[in-house]
Amino acid sequence: MNAAATTGNHPVLSPSGRHEAIDPISKDSVSPAASASASGSRLAKAAAARSGSWDKTRELAKSSRWIIALIAIVIVRSVALAFFPVLLLEAPATLLAFSPAAADLILVAPLVNPALFFSLSITAAVLQCAVFYEFGRALGDRALQWLEDRRVVRPKQTRRIREWLGKAAGLVVFAGPSLVVAVLAGASNTRARVFYPAVLAGNIVWTVGCYFFGAALTEQLERLYGFIGDHVLALSVIAAALFAGKMLWNRLRPAEDDELPELPDLEEG
C-alpha cells in the first residue's frame, strides 16, 4: 500500500507522488453535519424572506383597506357640499349621514326628528372619525404625508396638534373630535382605549350643543329654508361651482402656503 488517507493534517500521497496535507475544514472536506447546518441556514433565510414578504403584503392590504374607506368618506362629504341646497331641503337625514359637521348639524336640527337626528349624526361622526384614526394607525407618518400632499392638512397645523396630543390626547380628541384630529391621533399612536371613548363623548357633546343651538334659531332658519327653496337651482349651481373652485385651489395652491388660519371643511367633526 503506497499511501493511506488519514484524518487531521496527516500526509497523503498526491497524484504527482508528493506528500500533501489535507485541511480538515477546507471546502473539499466539509463534514455532513456542516453541510446540513448550511442547508438549514439557507432554508431559514428563505423562510424569513417569505415571512417578511407576507407581512408586507398583509400591511399593504390593511393600508389599502383604510385608504379606500377614507376616500369613500371624502367622496360622500364632497357630494354633501356640492349638492348642499338640494339635500338640505329634500333629504336632510342624508345630509346628516354624509356630513355630520357642526354647520350641517345646526342647519338640519329643525328638520329632523330628534331621535333620528342624534342616532344618525353621532353614529356617522364616530364611524368617520374611526376610519381616519385607523388610517393614521395603519400608515403612521405616511398617512400625514398622504393628506398633506392632497392639501387636507398643513404641516404647521399637523405639528401643533401632534404636540397637544402628546400632552393630553384624550382631552384633545374630546374637545375637537374632527377627522383631522382623528388621523393625527392614529399617526401619533394614541391608544384605542383612549381615542374611542373620547371621540364618542366629544361627538355627543358637540351634537347636543349643535341641536339646541339650531332649535333656538328655528325661526331664522325657516326663513333661510324659504329663501333656498325659492332659489334652489341657482344656489345648487353656486354650491357646485364653489366646490369645484375649492378643489382647483387646493390643487394649485403653493405647497409653502402654511399660514392660512382655517382648515378645509374636512376638518370638522
Side-chain angles (χ1 to χ4, degrees):
M1 187 171 182
N2 294 327
T6 61
T7 60
N9 288 324
H10 297 290
V12 297
L13 185 63
S14 69
S16 62
R18 294 191 300 272
H19 285 80
E20 296 179 351
I22 295 180
D23 188 347
I25 63 172
S26 70
K27 65 179 181 180
D28 294 329
S29 58
V30 176
S31 67
S35 177
S37 176
S39 177
S41 177
R42 287 193 298 271
L43 290 174
K45 290 180 180 179
R50 288 194 298 271
S51 176
S53 177
W54 173 245
D55 289 342
K56 290 180 180 178
T57 302
R58 287 192 301 177
E59 180 182 357
L60 178 61
K62 181 180 179 181
S63 302
S64 300
R65 181 170 69 247
W66 293 116
I67 289 174
I68 293 171
L70 181 142
I71 291 174
I73 291 174
V74 172
I75 290 173
V76 298
R77 285 209 166 205
S78 299
V79 169
L81 180 61
F83 298 95
F84 172 78
V86 175
L87 290 175
L88 177 63
L89 297 183
E90 302 298 332
T94 301
L95 180 60
L96 273 184
F98 281 10
S99 178
D104 297 325
L105 294 176
I106 293 171
L107 291 172
V108 172
L111 301 175
V112 178
N113 176 275
L116 179 62
F117 178 90
F118 287 113
S119 60
L120 188 58
S121 58
I122 292 173
T123 300
V126 172
L127 285 177
Q128 291 186 10
C129 286
V131 168
F132 272 65
Y133 169 74
E134 295 296 343
F135 171 77
R137 287 186 71 186
L139 278 78
D141 289 338
R142 289 179 296 164
L144 303 183
Q145 187 62 50
W146 194 86
L147 294 176
E148 288 172 2
D149 290 344
R150 287 152 183 80
R151 304 294 196 272
V152 176
V153 294
R154 302 188 185 116
K156 184 176 180 179
Q157 293 159 329
T158 296
R159 292 191 297 270
R160 185 183 304 125
I161 295 174
R162 293 190 80 172
E163 288 177 0
W164 295 342
L165 287 168
K167 296 176 181 178
L171 181 59
V172 173
V173 173
F174 172 78
S178 66
L179 300 183
V180 169
V181 170
V183 73
L184 291 175
S188 302
N189 294 319
T190 300
R191 290 175 294 179
R193 65 183 182 182
V194 172
F195 173 81
Y196 283 106
V199 79
L200 175 60
N203 274 297
I204 290 174
V205 170
W206 273 97
T207 302
V208 171
C210 289
Y211 176 81
F212 284 106
F213 185 70
L217 298 177
T218 298
E219 184 177 345
Q220 292 84 349
L221 291 177
E222 285 178 349
R223 290 199 291 267
L224 176 62
Y225 303 148
F227 176 81
I228 294 175
D230 293 338
H231 305 85
V232 64
L233 180 59
L235 291 174
S236 297
V237 172
I238 292 173
L242 289 174
F243 171 73
K246 182 176 181 179
M247 295 296 292
L248 181 62
W249 168 248
N250 285 340
R251 289 288 183 181
L252 299 179
R253 186 178 61 200
E256 64 271 15
D257 183 10
D258 192 31
E259 299 298 327
L260 296 179
E262 67 275 4
L263 279 171
D265 292 339
L266 199 60
E267 176 197 23
E268 299 181 20

